Amino acid sequence: MKRAANLLVVAAILCSTTDTAAQKVSKPNIIFIMTDDHGWQATSAYTDSLIRTPHIDRLATEGALMKQAYVTNALCGPSRAVILTGKYSHLNGFKGNREQFDGSQQTLPRILKKEGYQTAIVGKWHLNSNPTGFDYWNILPGQGNYYNPGFIKMGKDTVYNGYVTDITTDLALDWLKDHQQAPFFLMVHQKAPHRNQMPPLENLDLFNDRTFTFPETFFDDYRGRPALQRQLNKMAGDLEVDHDSKMRCDTCTTRDGIKWARRKYLHEAGRLTPAQQETWHKAYQHEYEAFSRIKTKEELRRWQYQRYMEDYLRCVKSVDDNVGRLLQYLDENGLAENTIVIYTSDQGVFLGEHGLFDKRFMYGEAFRTPMLIRYPRGIAPGQRKDQMVMNLDVAPTLLDFAGVAIPDDMQGASMKPLLAGTAVKNWRDKMYYHYYDKGFGTTAHYGIQTVRYKLIRFYDPVDAWELYDLEKDPKEMKNLYTDPHYAKVVEELKRALKVLQVQYKDTEAIAGMQPPKKGGKKPGVKAKKSKAAGKKG
């Protein structure tokens, strides 16, 4: 009888151990892939007018594509901080690229690590601090380099030979090979296709047979939009011949009449070996010749746009190829079924729309970002979701799929119900945005977007409002703020904007919307001088 009782105890222990092991196995692995400045309009799952991205598209075919994905602050570092914390910039403390991220605060990797996940990040970090909450990290210093880049491996400087997108993927795959037994959370952060878009050598001839036409809004005159009038992100005039177009030009001058320095071009190209430089110059010989024949500003503008698009899309092609490598590894090692793969960018980017490059603004090209999610065990294939989602939702979503309680102070919402096909009531029908930086002549601003309308408040140094009817004007060309026919819409949006600011605890912005006291300063938030002014992101 005693022996039988002991056997029952042993059996119970074995069952308990088996249950625990099963629970660990059932937790999904997670790979979060983020590029830098990859616009949704250069992702063929959204539109194939510029390029085919079959490997990224596969995530949509086998999972879900978020048609309306947006960011809270369209700048590199702040977007990363939002994804890590699930909080807006004013609460996570990282508003601009020159600030330092507080790694002691609650973050997604810290929570998952505590729940038994192996955690790692490779590639671009860009938060001016060492990563925390990760078992392993190997990151680019600052913006990093495209060719033969240096990395910081757990605090130690390391230089790798090759192209940065390939190397970042190599590091991810090397880590994965040793971490397949426990659930893992791996962040793969690619530098590409960030400015100045240096392509891999094998892609230098791609798109030579294409002629890219200007977007419909390329010649926007910025009428009625003073913040756009002062920015310095114009394709015509603000792209640099050496840095962006990669031409050796000792006689070119800047807008201020100062000769261009070749140091920017040489800084990156100088990292190439002599043999690599020979390949580079041979591939670009026809560009040198074409540049030497340019006589007019119009010819220069068209040539620079062509050069920009060629190199940008060459970088995107490399990103897509490396997404393919990651997906192939999951397939070959039996990991695909139980692994969530998210692909996104830290924000969108202008590719000539409104005559611009870069990001920063609340206009659709920068505010909106690609987001595709695959999880065979939990997400039905071929979904195209219309709901408005944000990078703010990434952390809550991954915690929800991992079966981990979402902290009350995270401000995003889990997308799991949307992705699992569950009926969702009261999903957001409006979004809040707040950008602080004043680099490149931009103006700090915040705003609200609903399904139909967008209201933006520029406040430092320009003081102005803009309203767009997205149904009638999806390309955001006509500011309707002073149109009397939209007076009621403006009033309603301002009320809704204040509600969102209260909801997200953006107290500075709330104060800026109050009427001025008699004899006081004119309305508008007088922002503290940003440490991020002039910092590229």
Side-chain angles (χ1 to χ4, degrees), residues 65-122:
L65 179 143
M66 314 311 287
K67 294 169 64 177
Q68 301 294 327
Y70 298 85
V71 298
T72 64
N73 182 350
L75 194 61
C76 301
S79 181
R80 295 161 198 276
V82 168
I83 287 166
L84 287 170
T85 62
K87 298 177 183 178
Y88 271 86
S89 302
H90 59 273
L91 293 186
N92 66 47
F94 201 91
K95 297 178 181 179
N97 284 335
R98 285 188 178 177
E99 299 176 7
Q100 186 175 63
F101 181 69
D102 177 9
S104 67
Q105 65 185 299
Q106 172 185 267
T107 62
L108 175 61
R110 277 180 175 273
I111 296 171
L112 289 176
K113 182 176 169 63
K114 186 177 180 181
E115 294 292 329
Y117 273 77
Q118 294 289 310
T119 58
I121 182 169
V122 294

Side-chain angles (χ1 to χ4, degrees), residues 3-47:
R3 184 184 177 193
N6 288 337
L7 288 173
L8 287 172
V9 171
V10 171
I13 292 173
L14 288 173
C15 287
S16 174
T17 304
T18 302
D19 288 344
T20 302
Q23 289 171 9
K24 287 186 177 180
V25 171
S26 68
K27 284 185 177 293
N29 301 309
I30 302 167
I31 296 181
F32 178 81
I33 307 170
M34 183 163 69
T35 42
D36 196 311
D37 292 2
H38 185 191
W40 60 269
Q41 68 274 45
T43 312
S44 55
Y46 290 88
T47 171

Side-chain angles (χ1 to χ4, degrees), residues 51-293:
I51 190 174
R52 291 291 303 167
T53 52
H55 303 295
I56 296 172
D57 295 358
R58 183 181 164 193
L59 298 176
T61 302
E62 299 174 3
L65 179 143
M66 314 311 287
K67 294 169 64 177
Q68 301 294 327
Y70 298 85
V71 298
T72 64
N73 182 350
L75 194 61
C76 301
S79 181
R80 295 161 198 276
V82 168
I83 287 166
L84 287 170
T85 62
K87 298 177 183 178
Y88 271 86
S89 302
H90 59 273
L91 293 186
N92 66 47
F94 201 91
K95 297 178 181 179
N97 284 335
R98 285 188 178 177
E99 299 176 7
Q100 186 175 63
F101 181 69
D102 177 9
S104 67
Q105 65 185 299
Q106 172 185 267
T107 62
L108 175 61
R110 277 180 175 273
I111 296 171
L112 289 176
K113 182 176 169 63
K114 186 177 180 181
E115 294 292 329
Y117 273 77
Q118 294 289 310
T119 58
I121 182 169
V122 294
K124 187 171 180 180
W125 174 244
H126 204 224
L127 291 171
N128 304 319
S129 61
N130 288 335
T132 58
F134 295 98
D135 297 300
Y136 172 82
W137 50 275
N138 201 346
I139 60 171
L140 291 164
Q143 291 287 359
N145 296 106
Y146 274 105
Y147 301 132
N148 303 325
F151 277 71
I152 305 172
K153 180 181 179 181
M154 302 293 285
K156 182 179 179 181
D157 291 344
T158 309
V159 177
Y160 297 90
N161 293 323
Y163 184 66
V164 68
T165 308
D166 299 331
I167 291 167
T168 299
T169 306
D170 291 342
L171 296 174
L173 293 174
D174 288 344
W175 185 84
L176 280 175
K177 291 171 185 175
D178 297 325
H179 296 85
Q180 296 183 23
Q181 302 307 313
F184 58 77
F185 172 57
L186 171 62
M187 304 188 88
V188 184
H189 286 193
Q190 298 289 6
K191 169 183 171 62
H194 190 279
R195 190 184 185 192
N196 62 338
Q197 295 90 28
M198 305 289 273
L201 298 183
E202 64 270 21
N203 287 359
L204 289 178
D205 292 327
L206 289 179
F207 306 107
N208 281 344
D209 59 344
R210 288 274 302 274
T211 299
F212 296 96
T213 57
F214 290 142
E216 182 182 336
T217 61
F218 188 89
F219 297 100
D220 190 344
D221 61 6
Y222 313 137
R223 184 179 304 170
R225 290 160 289 166
L228 270 173
Q229 292 168 16
R230 71 181 302 274
Q231 51 72 31
L232 301 175
N233 290 323
K234 293 181 291 297
M235 283 271 186
D238 294 323
L239 283 177
E240 299 179 12
V241 169
D242 69 332
H243 184 59
D244 296 297
S245 304
K246 294 129 185 138
M247 293 295 108
R248 296 162 293 183
C249 182
D250 294 322
T251 59
C252 296
T253 57
T254 65
R255 146 188 335 100
D256 300 319
I258 301 171
K259 284 188 177 181
W260 257 305
R262 288 173 58 188
R263 64 183 182 276
K264 293 180 182 178
Y265 165 77
L266 293 176
H267 174 69
E268 188 68 54
R271 301 183 67 86
L272 295 168
T273 66
Q276 290 170 333
Q277 288 188 23
E278 184 178 352
T279 300
W280 172 277
H281 292 304
K282 183 178 179 180
Y284 280 127
Q285 184 60 40
H286 70 287
E287 298 294 357
Y288 301 148
E289 295 170 358
F291 177 62
S292 69
R293 294 192 295 268

Side-chain angles (χ1 to χ4, degrees), residues 464-526:
W465 288 88
E466 294 180 10
L467 171 71
Y468 298 96
D469 185 334
L470 301 176
E471 184 178 288
K472 296 180 179 179
D473 179 24
K475 298 185 185 299
E476 300 168 299
M477 292 290 286
K478 187 176 182 180
N479 178 13
L480 299 169
Y481 182 73
T482 59
D483 188 326
H485 293 95
Y486 286 87
K488 187 175 181 180
V489 171
V490 168
E491 184 181 339
E492 291 172 350
L493 286 173
K494 284 187 176 181
R495 283 198 297 266
L497 175 59
K498 186 172 181 180
V499 169
L500 288 181
Q501 289 170 335
V502 171
Q503 175 186 336
Y504 293 120
K505 303 177 182 178
D506 195 353
T507 54
E508 277 193 16
I510 295 170
M513 288 191 71
Q514 305 305 315
K517 294 181 180 179
K518 189 174 182 179
K521 297 179 181 180
K522 67 179 181 179
V525 177
K526 183 62 178 176

